[in-house]
């Protein structure tokens, strides 16, 4: 049984969502040519920068701010050295970052340069240890670590319960009166195991097709 077949059999609502997706279908690991977002980084550092930028905002807002960050550095991501050398307030204003995200980006740069965080070592660790290692960076919590696990390490069974947009999409797709709490989402997603990552990718793709969902 394929992961897609498992999800369809495990959850009829999710199955209808999957059947309604048009165009390139989500996959794990994802096909880099199928992404509708040309700004998705491929390297560990870039993925973490994008994840920090994306905290608590929509997919569309994330894209805009990430592009503005790159525009400040000639259309590319700044190196850790460049992040620390830039004026924090000028960086924040130019990219549209919050002060907390500016602090987090600078903390990431500092941890990489000091050796407090070794990105190359993360691929060989189990999910919970990856989360613990990333916690050394100010502002990186479980949500950001979940994004790293899903989109860079391609772990198959990650459920980012702290993702506000995912919870909003689930509310609409499942006809709920309110967005599910993290605990409620965990219970609802139990049938998706061991492919919760793929289920989330389909739900996010639904929002991509219907931005007003």
């Amino acid at each position: 049984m394929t992961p897609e077949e498992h999800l369809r059999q495990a959850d009829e609502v999710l199955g209808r969502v999957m059947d309604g997706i048009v165009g390139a279908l989500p996959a794990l690991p994802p096909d880099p040519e199928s992404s509708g977002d040309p700004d998705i980084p491929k390297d560990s550092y870039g993925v973490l920068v994008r994840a920090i930028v994306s905290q608590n905002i929509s997919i569309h807002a994330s894209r805009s701010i990430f592009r503005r960050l790159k525009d400040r550095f000639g259309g590319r991501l700044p190196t850790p050295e460049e992040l620390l050398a830039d004026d924090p307030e000028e960086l924040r204003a130019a990219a549209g970052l919050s002060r907390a995200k500016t602090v987090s980006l600078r903390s990431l740069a500092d941890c990489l340069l000091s050796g407090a965080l070794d990105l190359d070592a993360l691929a060989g660790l189990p999910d919970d240890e990856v989360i613990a290692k990333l916690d050394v960076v100010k502002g990186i919590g479980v949500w950001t670590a979940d994004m790293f696990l899903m989109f860079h390490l391609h772990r198959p069974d990650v459920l980012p319960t702290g993702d506000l947009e995912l919870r909003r999409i689930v509310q609409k797709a499942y006809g709920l009166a309110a967005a599910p709490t993290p605990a409620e989402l965990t219970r609802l997603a139990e049938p998706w195991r061991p492919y919760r990552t793929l289920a989330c990718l389909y739900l996010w793709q639904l929002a991509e097709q219907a931005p007003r969902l």
Side-chain angles (χ1 to χ4, degrees):
M1 181 183 297
T2 67
E4 290 80 3
E5 289 170 342
H6 169 85
L7 292 173
R8 285 189 173 91
Q9 290 188 19
D11 186 329
E12 291 184 2
V13 175
L14 181 61
R16 289 195 293 273
V17 168
M18 295 169 68
D19 291 339
I21 299 298
V22 298
L25 299 179
L28 196 70
D31 177 359
E33 301 301 321
S34 69
S35 172
D37 185 350
D39 290 322
I40 292 179
K42 305 298 189 296
D43 63 294
S44 299
Y45 169 65
V47 168
L48 285 176
V49 170
R50 177 66 186 266
I52 290 170
V53 165
S54 302
Q55 291 170 348
N56 298 319
I57 58 177
S58 71
I59 294 171
H60 303 288
S62 164
R63 288 180 182 175
S64 175
I65 294 174
F66 190 67
R67 288 170 184 166
R68 290 171 63 182
L69 175 64
K70 293 201 303 181
D71 286 345
R72 182 165 175 80
F73 295 91
R76 59 171 177 79
L77 275 183
T79 65
E81 292 86 352
E82 288 171 332
L83 267 177
L84 291 177
D86 201 356
D87 180 88
E89 281 301 306
E90 292 181 6
L91 173 66
R92 183 189 67 78
L97 294 160
S98 67
R99 286 186 171 83
K101 291 180 182 181
T102 304
V103 168
S104 187
L105 288 174
R106 289 175 59 84
S107 177
L108 172 63
D110 183 65
C111 288
L112 293 176
L113 293 175
S114 70
L117 177 62
D118 180 2
L119 294 179
D120 292 336
L122 297 180
L125 301 177
D127 293 359
D128 57 346
E129 291 187 30
V130 172
I131 294 171
K133 293 289 186 183
L134 291 175
D135 189 56
V136 69
V137 179
K138 293 179 182 177
I140 286 190
V142 174
W143 180 88
T144 308
D146 283 342
M147 296 301 103
F148 186 80
L149 288 167
M150 296 175 80
F151 291 104
H152 188 62
L153 298 185
H154 304 142
R155 301 294 170 86
D157 196 35
V158 179
L159 180 69
T161 58
D163 190 272
L164 300 178
E165 183 156 6
L166 177 65
R167 285 153 56 188
R168 182 179 61 83
I169 296 166
V170 167
Q171 175 191 353
K172 295 292 186 179
Y174 285 77
L176 304 178
T181 65
E184 289 168 343
L185 179 58
T186 298
R187 289 194 294 272
L188 184 148
E190 190 63 27
W192 305 347
R193 289 182 182 272
Y195 305 114
R196 292 182 297 175
T197 296
L198 185 59
C200 293
L201 294 179
Y202 269 97
L203 288 162
W204 278 319
Q205 184 71 14
L206 179 64
E208 285 283 289
Q209 293 185 185
R212 295 183 181 181
L213 179 71

